[in-house]
Amino acid sequence: MLSELSIKNFAIIEALSISFDKGLTVLSGETGAGKSIIIDAIHLLVGGRGSSEFVRHGEEKAEIEGLFQIDHDSHPLFQKVKEFGIEIEDGMIILRRDISKSGKSICRINGKLVTISTLREIGAALVDIHGQHEHQELMDETRHLSLLDQFGGKEIEDVYQEYVHIYQRYEKTHRALKHLSENEQQVAHRLDLISFQLEEIQKADLKLHEDEELIEERRKLSNFEKLHEALNISYSALQGDNKGLDWLGLAMNHLEDAASIDQHYKEVSDTVSNSFYVLEDIIRTLRNELDILEFDPERLSNIEERLNEINQLKRKYGKTIAEILEYAAKIEEELETLQNKETHIEKLQRELSIIQKDLAIEARELSKMRQKHAGQLTKLIHTELKELYMEKTIFEVRFTSDYDNFTIAGSDKVEFYISTNPGEPLKPLSKIASGGELSRIMLALKSIFSKHQGITSIIFDEVDTGVSGRVAQAIAEKIYHVSVDSQVLCISHLPQVAAMADTHLFIAKKITDGRTRTSVKILGDDEKIREIGRMISGVEITDLTKEHAKELLHLAKEIKITQWELGHN
């Protein structure tokens, strides 16, 4: 859910910090006070289109920052942010967007700079904003299939995964067949290229770790003089009269005498004796190394040439010798396939035909499962619409299935159709134009899909415009119902909606020093009564409107208690 929102120098807002709670939060206030500007700020925060016009006059930039809390570790957002290399600690994610007066945006998620498209993708998993005239996810027919799959849950997911497993084999085989079936000129060019590459690699006769061994040998040869000098000085310091070994021998003899007198010195004597014999071996080794050590400039030149040859191959075929050899094996297999193209084409065609039959069976099974859940969804939506006094409305999930064509989503195309008046033909949901009807349809859909979408916050921006009476009360109850499973922020002019709020925020504006400023206040019980009374009657608030407001609040309380009891039985 959205926990904190900070807005600075945005439109008429100079500086504003708002805390939000779970459940239903209603924002009300006079027209022009800045309610919709707050929603506009959230819209930009989650990747909406920005503009320099949003920057408060006289300021360099507008700043918007929001803290979201994710309660469930299984939320799909965790995997999504991981793909972008963003860490989430303690289930908290902070979005920030700065918009300069030139119109340029700087976006951050948990402090990491991201593109606007990344911000939009992450934001879509956090917030769903629905306004009176705004097309969004439920109005987008390309999203209807995934919404149906989400509604179907594990039953559809299990069948879908079986389909995907076969589809991936189908795609791999189809690509291989297409590659082999390309025109003769392309195949000839490819044959020439990989034949040359394979010959070049094989001619080099590479050995694993050869480059590492050559680099080590080159290092030794390049430092021959320094190495020879170090060994020679070491040998001279140890071997000869009055040198290291001579003095150590003298110490050994005397310590042996001391040990023969007092066993206390036996251990020291043995240690020195062992060191003497070890040092004798080292001197012999140094002598042998000095005898065989010689500088070979021709060998150094050969090493340089060989390393240069290996580096040339690395630039073409891989970063390491292992990668080059792996590439050689791959193109050798491809070469054999292209040289025997017709045989391989026939084999792939047989394989593709078998896979295609299996895929069609899985696609039909997936379609069957989707149609089953489409029927359940239709019944639920009709129930929801009936509660919103749209009992004459007909909703339908329409399928277009082609089992000769396959996509990663299956062979189905799904679109939601609806008819709001008896006798009228069903039309695509996206074609519904009436504001009042659209609001109720969207609420019906939201009350069902909000449980399956995983979105943490849903925002309704004056979706209750154009309704009144019993419909207004039904909308209020439906919005509250949605807030049980998702945090809901709602701008509303309906007193019925305000009465259902768990938190009521009053938005006001005032003019100070010739500038307009917006403020937000959490209303207490008495202030709620006064504000709902204002929403009922307008400017003048009478005792009667206050009584009416109290009645609405009392009714809302009873409805909440009833819904809580139903949810816990």
Side-chain angles (χ1 to χ4, degrees), residues 227-334:
L227 178 62
H228 186 275
E229 182 182 7
L231 292 177
N232 194 47
I233 291 173
S234 299
Y235 177 80
S236 298
L238 295 172
Q239 180 64 23
D241 292 338
N242 291 321
K243 296 296 177 70
L245 188 63
D246 202 8
W247 286 104
L248 187 61
L250 181 63
M252 178 181 70
N253 292 333
H254 284 288
L255 282 170
E256 286 176 352
D257 290 342
S260 66
I261 298 169
D262 187 344
Q263 286 295 310
H264 176 72
Y265 300 106
K266 182 72 168 61
E267 185 178 349
V268 175
S269 175
D270 289 344
T271 300
V272 172
S273 295
N274 290 335
S275 299
F276 178 85
Y277 297 122
V278 168
L279 203 54
E280 271 193 327
D281 290 339
I282 290 172
I283 290 171
R284 281 193 292 272
T285 300
L286 288 174
R287 180 71 265 165
N288 292 336
E289 288 294 323
L290 285 167
D291 288 342
I292 64 173
L293 196 65
E294 62 176 318
F295 179 65
D296 186 352
E298 186 177 348
R299 174 58 182 164
L300 184 60
S301 176
N302 291 338
I303 288 173
E304 293 289 0
E305 288 178 8
R306 180 60 171 171
L307 285 173
N308 183 58
E309 180 184 13
I310 292 171
N311 288 332
Q312 291 285 353
L313 294 174
K314 284 181 179 180
R315 280 192 283 271
K316 292 180 182 179
Y317 308 120
K319 295 178 181 178
T320 64
I321 288 178
E323 287 184 10
I324 296 171
L325 294 174
E326 186 179 337
Y327 178 76
K330 180 181 175 183
I331 60 174
E332 186 174 17
E333 184 180 341
E334 184 182 356

Side-chain angles (χ1 to χ4, degrees), residues 175-430:
R175 282 195 302 270
L177 183 59
K178 183 181 178 182
H179 176 68
L180 279 179
S181 302
E182 290 173 343
N183 64 58
E184 292 296 325
Q185 189 176 20
Q186 286 178 319
V187 172
H189 286 164
R190 182 64 181 167
L191 269 170
D192 287 345
L193 175 63
I194 61 176
S195 296
F196 169 79
Q197 291 177 338
L198 184 61
E199 183 181 357
E200 185 178 29
I201 295 171
Q202 289 177 337
K203 187 177 178 182
D205 192 25
L206 296 172
K207 304 290 187 297
L208 281 174
H209 309 300
E210 178 186 0
D211 52 343
E212 298 168 10
E213 294 168 2
L214 288 171
I215 289 170
E216 178 62 21
E217 187 179 355
R218 181 181 65 180
R219 190 179 68 81
K220 291 178 183 178
L221 286 171
S222 298
N223 292 278
F224 173 80
E225 289 185 5
K226 188 175 180 181
L227 178 62
H228 186 275
E229 182 182 7
L231 292 177
N232 194 47
I233 291 173
S234 299
Y235 177 80
S236 298
L238 295 172
Q239 180 64 23
D241 292 338
N242 291 321
K243 296 296 177 70
L245 188 63
D246 202 8
W247 286 104
L248 187 61
L250 181 63
M252 178 181 70
N253 292 333
H254 284 288
L255 282 170
E256 286 176 352
D257 290 342
S260 66
I261 298 169
D262 187 344
Q263 286 295 310
H264 176 72
Y265 300 106
K266 182 72 168 61
E267 185 178 349
V268 175
S269 175
D270 289 344
T271 300
V272 172
S273 295
N274 290 335
S275 299
F276 178 85
Y277 297 122
V278 168
L279 203 54
E280 271 193 327
D281 290 339
I282 290 172
I283 290 171
R284 281 193 292 272
T285 300
L286 288 174
R287 180 71 265 165
N288 292 336
E289 288 294 323
L290 285 167
D291 288 342
I292 64 173
L293 196 65
E294 62 176 318
F295 179 65
D296 186 352
E298 186 177 348
R299 174 58 182 164
L300 184 60
S301 176
N302 291 338
I303 288 173
E304 293 289 0
E305 288 178 8
R306 180 60 171 171
L307 285 173
N308 183 58
E309 180 184 13
I310 292 171
N311 288 332
Q312 291 285 353
L313 294 174
K314 284 181 179 180
R315 280 192 283 271
K316 292 180 182 179
Y317 308 120
K319 295 178 181 178
T320 64
I321 288 178
E323 287 184 10
I324 296 171
L325 294 174
E326 186 179 337
Y327 178 76
K330 180 181 175 183
I331 60 174
E332 186 174 17
E333 184 180 341
E334 184 182 356
L335 186 64
E336 190 277 330
T337 299
L338 291 177
Q339 288 171 339
N340 299 278
K341 186 177 72 168
E342 297 305 323
T343 302
H344 284 283
I345 285 176
E346 289 177 9
K347 180 183 176 183
L348 286 171
Q349 284 175 336
R350 289 194 300 271
E351 288 179 9
L352 191 65
S353 178
I354 294 169
I355 294 171
Q356 200 163 350
K357 289 176 182 177
D358 292 340
L359 193 60
I361 291 171
E362 291 299 331
R364 285 187 170 87
E365 187 63 28
L366 180 58
S367 182
K368 181 181 176 182
M369 185 60 68
R370 283 170 170 164
Q371 288 177 18
K372 169 190 168 183
H373 285 280
Q376 296 173 0
L377 175 62
T378 300
K379 289 179 182 178
L380 281 174
I381 288 178
H382 281 148
T383 300
E384 295 287 338
L385 291 173
K386 185 178 180 181
E387 292 174 0
L388 289 165
Y389 300 101
M390 294 183 71
E391 59 274 2
K392 303 295 184 184
T393 298
I394 300 173
F395 176 87
E396 184 179 295
V397 180
R398 287 197 176 175
F399 281 77
T400 304
S401 303
D402 182 357
Y403 300 115
D404 292 323
N405 291 295
F406 308 100
T407 70
I408 188 65
S411 295
D412 302 319
K413 288 184 179 179
V414 165
E415 188 171 0
F416 299 157
Y417 273 66
I418 202 159
S419 171
T420 56
N421 297 301
E424 291 295 318
L426 287 157
K427 295 179 181 179
L429 180 62
S430 58

Side-chain angles (χ1 to χ4, degrees), residues 122-151:
I122 299 299
L126 289 168
V127 176
D128 183 16
I129 301 176
H130 174 54
Q132 174 92 28
H133 305 292
E134 183 182 358
H135 290 288
Q136 43 88 59
E137 189 178 45
L138 291 173
M139 299 295 286
D140 182 2
E141 63 272 11
T142 63
R143 292 282 298 127
H144 291 175
L145 179 62
S146 63
L147 287 171
L148 176 60
D149 285 353
Q150 288 173 23
F151 174 78

Side-chain angles (χ1 to χ4, degrees), residues 488-507:
V488 171
L489 310 180
C490 180
I491 292 179
S492 179
H493 295 289
L494 286 180
Q496 293 91 334
V497 175
M500 293 295 296
D502 297 308
T503 306
H504 192 150
L505 301 180
F506 180 72
I507 316 299

